[in-house]
């Protein structure tokens, strides 16, 4: 054997492209057809899927491709192993829900949005009601009266709180109208019955109950002595009485409210007349009071009060 030439089976002659050269063809090299063209060539080509991970590949006679069992169609290959099952292979990482996500990462109903929407609806309703109420108030109607305007209450003339008169410089004694008297006990003023002689036709009414009263303070009485108190009044066709009090002392003689005008029953307008009482006054200031007390019949309207010197009638 020629030194350096060990035949076609030596490793250095295992040239996959030897069939391209003259010396390779002289040694019997053939183009690849299942092998590299040399008798001792090893077919390293494997069909896809034949590699068995973690197992020793099956051996076959020299120069032949080892046969691998084929899996039936639609069935898993028993020789296949997933990469994560191999030593050092990738491990599957379970998916973790996002922090704070409810229901394992699933989005639930947007309750915050629903709450905000509900509050907005309630606020709109309240604003609408407020505007409607303001509109009702602005039209000048009173809601408490069913939408009707508030009635206007007429005020009766009121008496002068002082109810004080003074004697004139020439000595003439004073006279006072009903509207200037100090009223008490529920007595009021009116002017609907015609015939009163007081200014404006105003008189004292609502006198027919216990406690009703009129009071007159007179200043400047020149001397102690006898005086006469006159009272203008009107009765409805019947007699009545009242109580006279001078300087805090009730008189033993009642005020006689007789039907001197002979007015028909119930006719105040035709019942206007006058009466008088004798009194003792002090020099200076005196207080005269006419009231309806227990036992009196006070169904009368009071018109004027005036004084005269002495007991006259």
């Amino acid at each position: 054997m020629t030194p350096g030439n060990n035949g076609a089976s030596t490793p250095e002659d295992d040239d996959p492209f030897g069939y391209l050269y003259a010396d390779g063809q002289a040694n019997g090299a053939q183009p690849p057809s299942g092998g590299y063209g040399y008798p001792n060539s090893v077919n390293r080509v494997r069909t896809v899927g034949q590699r068995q991970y973690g197992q020793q590949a099956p051996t076959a006679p020299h120069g032949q491709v080892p046969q691998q069992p084929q899996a039936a169609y639609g069935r898993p290959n028993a020789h296949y192993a997933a990469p994560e099952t191999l030593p050092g292979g990738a491990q599957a990482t379970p998916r973790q829900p996002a922090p704070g996500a409810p229901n394992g990462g699933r989005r639930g109903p947007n309750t915050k949005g629903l709450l905000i929407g509900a509050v907005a609806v309630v606020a709109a309703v309240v604003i609408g009601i407020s505007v409607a109420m303001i509109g009702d108030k602005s039209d000048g109607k009173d809601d408490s009266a069913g939408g009707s305007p508030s009635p206007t209450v007429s005020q009766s003339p009121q008496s002068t709180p002082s109810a004080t008169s003074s004697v004139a410089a020439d000595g003439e004694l004073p006279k006072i109208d009903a509207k200037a008297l100090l009223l008490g006990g529920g007595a009021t003023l009116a002017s609907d019955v015609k015939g009163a002689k007081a200014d404006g036709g105003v008189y004292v009414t609502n006198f027919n109950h216990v406690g009703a009263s009129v009071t007159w303070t007179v200043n400047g009485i020149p001397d102690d002595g006898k005086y006469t108190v006159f009272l203008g009044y009107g009765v409805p066709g019947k007699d009545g009485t009242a109580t006279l009090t001078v300087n805090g002392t009730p008189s033993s003689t009642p005020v006689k409210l007789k039907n001197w005008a002979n007015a028909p029953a119930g006719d105040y307008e035709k019942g206007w007349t006058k009466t008088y009482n004798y009194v003792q006054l002090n020099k200076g200031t005196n207080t005269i009071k006419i009231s309806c007390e227990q036992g009196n019949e006070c169904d009368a309207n009071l018109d004027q009060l005036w004084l005269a010197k002495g007991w006259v009638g």
Side-chain angles (χ1 to χ4, degrees):
M1 180 174 298
T2 305
N5 186 358
N6 295 323
S9 61
T10 58
E12 60 268 23
D13 292 331
D14 193 4
D15 184 356
F17 301 102
Y19 67 93
L20 298 176
Y21 305 100
D23 56 349
Q25 294 176 5
N27 290 327
Q30 300 293 327
S33 59
Y36 288 106
Y38 287 89
N40 60 346
S41 63
V42 179
N43 191 341
R44 295 181 175 85
V45 179
R46 291 182 175 84
T47 306
V48 176
Q50 289 180 350
R51 173 70 66 180
Q52 299 183 9
Y53 296 93
Q55 300 182 11
Q56 184 177 0
T59 59
H62 184 73
Q64 296 183 10
V65 178
Q67 298 297 321
Q68 298 291 342
Q70 300 294 324
Y73 179 77
R75 297 182 182 177
N77 192 327
H79 300 282
Y80 173 78
E84 57 268 21
T85 62
L86 301 177
Q91 298 296 323
T93 303
R95 184 177 180 181
Q96 297 295 331
N103 302 323
R106 300 176 182 175
R107 292 177 60 86
N110 191 351
T111 56
K112 183 177 180 181
L114 294 177
L115 178 60
I116 293 175
V119 171
V121 171
V122 172
V125 172
V126 171
I127 292 173
I129 293 175
S130 301
V131 172
M133 292 178 66
I134 292 173
D136 290 343
K137 294 294 183 182
S138 64
D139 61 3
K141 295 182 179 180
D142 183 5
D143 293 339
S144 63
S148 301
S150 299
T152 301
V153 179
S154 59
Q155 299 294 331
S156 300
Q158 299 299 316
S159 63
T160 303
S162 63
T164 301
S165 300
S166 298
V167 176
D170 59 1
E172 183 180 359
L173 296 179
K175 177 185 287 188
I176 188 170
D177 288 337
K179 63 182 179 180
L181 293 170
L182 180 62
L183 308 183
T188 58
L189 298 177
S191 59
D192 52 329
V193 177
K194 306 301 180 181
K197 294 182 179 180
D199 183 29
V202 177
Y203 55 87
V204 177
T205 188
N206 198 30
F207 193 72
N208 190 24
H209 59 274
V210 175
S213 66
V214 295
T215 302
W216 181 30
T217 300
V218 181
N219 297 321
I221 297 297
D223 301 298
D224 294 343
K226 298 178 179 178
Y227 293 85
T228 301
V229 177
F230 288 89
L231 171 65
Y233 67 95
V235 290
K238 63 179 182 179
D239 297 340
T241 59
T243 298
L244 174 65
T245 300
V246 178
N247 296 327
T249 302
S251 173
S252 58
T253 304
V255 179
K256 296 179 180 179
L257 303 173
K258 295 183 68 70
N259 184 21
W260 300 115
N262 295 317
D267 192 345
Y268 285 94
E269 186 171 338
K270 292 182 178 180
W272 291 109
T273 186
K274 65 180 180 179
T275 190
Y276 61 90
N277 282 74
Y278 296 148
V279 297
Q280 287 285 134
L281 297 181
N282 302 322
K283 182 180 179 179
T285 300
N286 295 261
T287 300
I288 300 171
K289 177 182 178 181
I290 298 176
S291 61
C292 185
E293 304 296 337
Q294 193 71 36
N296 292 149
E297 293 289 339
C298 310
D299 191 2
N301 295 326
L302 310 185
D303 184 12
Q304 292 176 313
L305 283 172
W306 65 95
L307 287 174
K309 190 173 177 63
W311 288 354
V312 297

